Amino acid sequence: MNADLDKQLNVFETKINEDINIEPRDWMPDDYRKHLIRQISQHAHSEVIGMQPEGNWISRAPSLRSKKILLAKIQDEGGHGLYLYSAAETLGISRDEMLHQLHEGKAKYSSIFNYPTLTWADIGAIGWLVDGAAIVNQVSLQKTSYGPYARAMVRICKEESFHQRQGYEIMTKMMQGTKDQQAMAQDAMNRWWWPSLMMFGPHDSDSPNTGNAMKWKIKRQSNDILRQKFIDKTVQQAHLIGLSIPDNKLKWNEDKKSYDHGEINWDEFIRVINGDGPCNKQRMKHHIKAHQEGEWVRKAAIAYQLKRKELINQ
Ligand code: FAQ
């Protein structure tokens, strides 16, 4: 029995070392499976809850063009949630169980979606900064060791890069507009910058999951490395359109060839991930209501599948 287990572990570790994807039917250690279910389901919940702050602006988009783009983007995010729930299901957890964990507060979703969208510039800031941060993280996850997760990331990254550009376009247009529009864009930047940096998670030294994640190549780069990449790329984009970064410690470091920056407010981060951000309660309430109201759709879809099977088997 133990010799069998050793052999299976050996095959698993060889695949990880040789960068061969682990697939759903492969043997894998229980902790690897649990780690993936936690991360992928939280990622899926983030995509779906992330539809709410932007959905708030569909009926108030300033033109037909911007309304169409926003609708398509939000629909993409829902689709990302579906790919990710499907990837998590290949690990043996049901979608119902994942949603139950979310509704019970046992599964997290990204802290960023607990902040309100107060003006149209916030829609620009989400596309540019939030999708921008998501891409930096997800490009790295395209090489994650679990096959279904890695493949979902390839498609998601393509769509996120369109989202990032449409957000930057909104901000660029506003910065070319009136003084009021410029002030609105800067205000959105001021409110979304620090929460975007929090998306990458705690510092590596305070990140309990990073050790196993790196060992198993679930994460390819650490929270701090990815956060720094995002800062270096985004500061230049901000300066190009005349936005300033709300961090008086931000300074180019020629030796490091990257920016030094101020400290994140980790007390705020902890509060938000523990349910006490500006919109946590509202987000969960809305999700639970939509889930309950959608029960008849799920029942109808299952009934249709059963009927179809019955007809095929006749
Ligand atoms: N928010 O040990 P670590 C998007 C939790 S997609 C909430 O460092 P890990 C697209 C963490 O879960 C955005 N919780 O954890 C879009 C853990 O708690 P647990 C989502 C956070 O997993 C755009 C604890 O803190 N992207 O935006 C956060 O190694 C626009 C300790 O942390 C992903 O999910 C946080 N920011 O690293 C959609 C990417 N940070 O589970 C709509 C995939 C940490 O032990 C509109 N996920 N925590 O109870 C990851 O890369 C990782 O899971 C991290 C966290 C980097 C998020």
Side-chain angles (χ1 to χ4, degrees), residues 58-90:
I58 294 173
S59 59
R60 289 177 287 163
S63 67
L64 181 60
R65 177 179 182 270
S66 55
K67 192 188 189 93
K68 284 195 293 188
I69 294 172
L70 184 59
L71 267 170
K73 177 195 189 298
I74 296 171
Q75 201 172 352
D76 284 352
E77 306 298 0
H80 298 172
L82 296 186
Y83 314 151
L84 288 163
Y85 283 127
S86 300
E89 280 174 320
T90 65

Side-chain angles (χ1 to χ4, degrees), residues 86-106:
S86 300
E89 280 174 320
T90 65
L91 290 155
I93 185 168
S94 71
R95 201 169 299 196
D96 273 352
E97 205 176 331
M98 286 185 265
L99 289 173
H100 184 69
Q101 289 175 354
L102 173 70
H103 294 165
E104 293 283 293
K106 287 187 187 131

Side-chain angles (χ1 to χ4, degrees), residues 38-39 42-43 46-47 50-51 54 73 77 108-111 113 126 130-131 134 137-138 141 149 160 198-202 207-210 219 223 269 273:
R38 177 193 63 84
Q39 178 167 326
Q42 295 190 6
H43 196 164
S46 305
E47 300 280 357
M51 296 164 81
E54 290 177 297
K73 177 195 189 298
E77 306 298 0
K108 295 186 171 71
Y109 59 88
S110 183
S111 51
F113 301 118
I126 291 186
V130 176
D131 284 272
N137 181 294
Q138 292 172 163
L141 285 174
Y149 193 22
E160 300 287 32
M198 293 174 195
M199 285 176 71
F200 295 93
S207 160
N209 298 304
T210 291
K219 271 184 186 175
N223 299 359
F269 172 75
I273 67 170

